[in-house]
Amino acid sequence: MFLVVAAGLIVSVVALGCVAGPVLDRPGWPVANPAIAIACWIAALSGTFAGLTGAVAVALLRSPAPGHGLLEWLHDCVHAHRHSGVALAAGVGAVTLFACAVRLARGLPRLWRAMTHRRRHRQMLGLIAREDGEHADVLVLEHPVPVAYCLPSRRGCIVISTGARDRLTAAQLKAVLAHERAHLRQRHHALLLLLDLAYVLLPWLPTVRRAGASLPLLLEMAADDVAARRCGRPALAGALRKLAIAPGAAGALAATGSDGRTLTRRLARLDVPARRLSRARRTAAWAFFTCAIGAPFAVITVVVGLLLPC
Amino acid sequence: MGGLGGPLERAIMNALWEVPDGLRIRELLVKVNEGADRPLAYNTVQTVAERLSRKGLLRRVPDGQAFRYLPTRTRDEHAVELMLDALTESSDHAAMLARFAESVDAQDARHLFDALRERAIDEPGT
């Protein structure tokens, strides 16, 4: 039974961690509906991590394995490891756990520095920027370079430079604000932070690596969709041509990088309205979402159920 | 607390940015309290000024028996730093700077060009 569970978990980790990424990254379909694509990426990532956690837990905690009880292990360490497969599984589990711990110990200071940097940025903004008379959540920074970005915090705010404000028409400014508010409302910064954490932990998995490259653009597109629905495509496209909407001082994405052609792709998408996703693809995407999230968790539930009585 | 962006810090920095030579606490107090409905106490202003100088925003120079406080950088310099900060976070900042360079008028472009040339002379090889 345990063998089946462990095999199921490993298969799901391989499927989600190695195969799902390239499949989700196929060009075309995510552009048509970034929201569904984002949901699928999140499902693939959380499924991978859930599966991996489950697999490590099974390897270390199933009844003859060392983690089952430290005292018990100390007592009959030699007896319990008669089966070489058990020792191997426990060893691989421990190594994975150790590797993750090392990565985390290395990556956390960087994440922490990024957070501190962001806090400092916010404080300096409080000192330098002026409040916008019209919108309560907008801060105006006196500078000719046209920039707009959102600053996630308890009371999320949008920063816009005077250069941007002077260049944009009223409709374009509204579109920019709608775009930034969508980022804040949909908590994209939190998603990017989790993504960065995933990258710190498991940079070797293709799904994690590809998510790091694809998700930022998809998040921009999702926010574009909200803004285009509210204020119209021409206004948003015009605004994007005049300024780059920075993803916000999230400070955590330096490790994942980007392809640098994001704006071109976003504009192309706004100029030629994307075809709607076909019904079949929609269904397939949601089926994937359910399986990716559901399978590892279901297996883990089974594992917990089996582990508890012993 | 130790925050920087509070209304007190703002008021004091705003007052000092207007006087590049700096002010003593007593002079600063008068300037900050100009037209305020609830005037600040001397001690409050001194504490906040001290905190700002610890954070590197103000510089303290002896002036007779007291100290004069002056901003370490102008407001514009801080704004530039914040902009650069936001820009380097952007994935597409090269494209955006290119668009900016295209959009400035001839005179601004000349300023920009001069500034870049000076910088190239100051730090060759970068």
Side-chain angles (χ1 to χ4, degrees):
Chain A
M1 181 63 200
F2 270 119
L3 212 59
V4 177
V5 170
L9 282 170
I10 288 168
V11 166
S12 73
V13 169
V14 171
L16 291 174
C18 302
V19 183
V23 173
L24 288 178
D25 221 9
R26 279 219 316 259
W29 81 272
V31 174
N33 198 327
I36 292 184
I38 290 168
C40 286
W41 276 111
I42 296 173
L45 286 174
S46 42
T48 306
F49 276 85
L52 201 68
T53 316
V56 170
V58 168
L60 288 177
L61 298 180
R62 65 170 276 204
S63 104
H68 179 57
L70 204 57
L71 280 178
E72 204 177 303
W73 174 58
L74 288 172
H75 186 246
D76 53 15
C77 185
V78 189
H79 291 288
H81 293 175
R82 278 176 315 227
H83 200 288
S84 60
V86 173
L88 188 70
V92 171
V95 166
T96 313
L97 213 59
F98 180 72
C100 284
V102 169
R103 293 284 311 173
L104 200 63
R106 281 217 202 136
L108 277 186
R110 191 172 58 80
L111 283 183
W112 179 251
R113 269 200 304 281
M115 305 275 270
T116 320
H117 186 79
R118 189 160 95 189
R119 195 164 56 232
R120 167 94 185 169
H121 185 102
R122 198 162 48 230
Q123 289 180 344
M124 286 310 293
L125 264 180
L127 223 48
I128 312 289
R130 297 170 213 280
E131 269 167 36
D132 181 72
E134 263 174 82
H135 310 275
D137 57 345
V138 176
L139 288 175
V140 180
L141 196 59
E142 203 110 1
H143 200 277
V145 174
V147 166
Y149 60 97
C150 58
L151 206 62
S153 63
R154 256 163 299 166
R155 198 181 130 264
C157 66
I158 298 164
V159 183
I160 187 161
S161 68
T162 44
R165 211 177 48 174
D166 297 345
R167 278 178 172 75
L168 298 175
T169 64
Q172 288 169 344
L173 182 65
K174 247 175 88 180
V176 169
L177 294 182
H179 173 101
E180 297 298 341
R181 284 189 190 124
H183 274 315
L184 290 172
R185 206 176 36 249
Q186 298 178 4
R187 312 245 164 249
H188 289 171
H189 52 281
L191 214 57
L192 289 178
L193 201 69
L194 285 180
L195 179 65
D196 204 46
L197 203 63
Y199 188 80
V200 163
L201 278 173
L202 292 172
W204 313 283
L205 286 181
T207 300
V208 176
R209 237 185 7 249
R210 280 169 184 265
S214 300
L215 260 181
L217 175 62
L218 287 174
L219 294 178
E220 292 299 327
M221 288 178 172
D224 281 349
D225 281 355
V226 174
R229 248 195 326 271
R230 295 242 165 101
C231 312
R233 285 165 186 276
L236 182 64
L240 286 181
R241 286 208 172 82
K242 287 182 186 170
L243 61 110
I245 300 180
L253 275 173
T256 45
S258 75
D259 64 359
R261 282 173 300 137
T262 51
L263 190 73
T264 331
R265 295 179 66 182
R266 285 166 65 192
L267 281 175
R269 208 173 143 260
L270 286 174
D271 288 343
V272 185
R275 287 171 292 118
R276 272 176 66 83
L277 217 51
S278 70
R279 209 184 162 79
R281 286 201 145 181
R282 240 169 223 273
T283 318
W286 285 121
F288 171 78
F289 177 82
T290 318
C291 292
I293 289 251
F297 281 102
V299 177
I300 285 177
T301 318
V302 173
V303 173
V304 171
L306 288 174
L307 276 177
L308 276 183
C310 62
Chain B
M1 298 289 282
L4 279 175
L8 274 178
E9 285 85 352
R10 250 175 114 96
I12 286 174
M13 288 309 291
N14 281 340
L16 284 173
W17 271 321
E18 284 173 22
V19 191
D21 291 335
L23 295 171
R24 296 183 189 198
I25 295 292
R26 197 158 291 286
E27 298 159 337
L28 178 61
L29 184 69
V30 173
K31 201 162 163 57
V32 169
N33 281 341
E34 260 171 29
D37 4 319
R38 283 184 57 196
L40 297 170
Y42 182 92
N43 278 344
T44 315
V45 172
Q46 189 175 32
T47 313
V48 177
E50 267 307 308
R51 188 158 76 217
L52 287 169
S53 60
R54 265 205 311 280
K55 300 247 177 194
L57 286 162
L58 294 180
R59 198 151 50 86
R60 220 170 57 156
V61 291
D63 180 14
Q65 299 278 24
F67 285 110
R68 243 168 352 109
Y69 290 85
L70 35 137
T72 46
R73 307 163 86 180
T74 64
R75 189 193 199 107
D76 285 347
E77 283 167 343
H78 280 298
V80 168
E81 195 191 352
L82 285 174
M83 291 298 292
L84 286 177
D85 211 25
L87 276 178
T88 46
E89 295 284 349
S90 158
S91 53
D92 229 8
H93 59 273
M96 122 168 236
L97 283 177
R99 258 197 323 288
F100 172 67
E102 282 164 18
S103 70
V104 294
D105 61 36
Q107 200 177 355
D108 283 343
R110 200 167 303 126
H111 288 316
L112 201 63
F113 188 68
D114 287 344
L116 287 173
R117 198 174 48 200
E118 269 169 41
R119 187 175 157 174
I121 293 167
D122 287 346
E123 25 180 321
T126 48

